[in-house]
Amino acid sequence: MAAALHFDISVSNFGIQEHMRHTRESDDVFPHAYYFKDGYLHPGEAKGLGVDYDEKLAGKFPYQRAYLPVNRKLDGTIFHW
């Protein structure tokens, strides 16, 4: 999000940036300077992209492999799910 935001504000003919809130856990592991206010994303005042990483806290959330649901018919064709 931070990289997209910095790109967006550097492009003169930029239009719309989608914004989906992160979970509280994600925000805790990746503290960031950008914020959403009054319909706008603001980059904040931190150096660089303004995102940090809490490695110790991240260790509490081990990786769990997951897959998107995909429906296939018996002949192997993908079916709209």
Side-chain angles (χ1 to χ4, degrees), residues 1-11 34 42-44 46-50:
M1 178 58 73
L5 174 57
H6 282 265
F7 175 78
D8 300 342
I9 61 178
S10 69
V11 175
Y34 66 83
H42 302 272
K47 294 179 181 180
L49 293 177

Side-chain angles (χ1 to χ4, degrees), residues 28-42:
D28 290 344
V29 173
F30 299 99
H32 52 271
Y34 66 83
Y35 59 95
F36 184 79
K37 181 179 178 184
D38 299 329
Y40 294 94
L41 276 171
H42 302 272

Side-chain angles (χ1 to χ4, degrees), residues 15-63:
I16 296 173
Q17 172 64 53
E18 293 180 352
H19 177 257
M20 188 169 107
R21 292 184 183 263
H22 301 292
T23 64
R24 184 183 56 76
E25 293 85 4
S26 295
D27 286 340
D28 290 344
V29 173
F30 299 99
H32 52 271
Y34 66 83
Y35 59 95
F36 184 79
K37 181 179 178 184
D38 299 329
Y40 294 94
L41 276 171
H42 302 272
E45 298 294 327
K47 294 179 181 180
L49 293 177
V51 178
D52 203 358
Y53 174 65
D54 187 334
E55 189 172 352
K56 185 176 180 181
L57 183 58
K60 295 181 180 182
F61 303 99
Y63 174 74

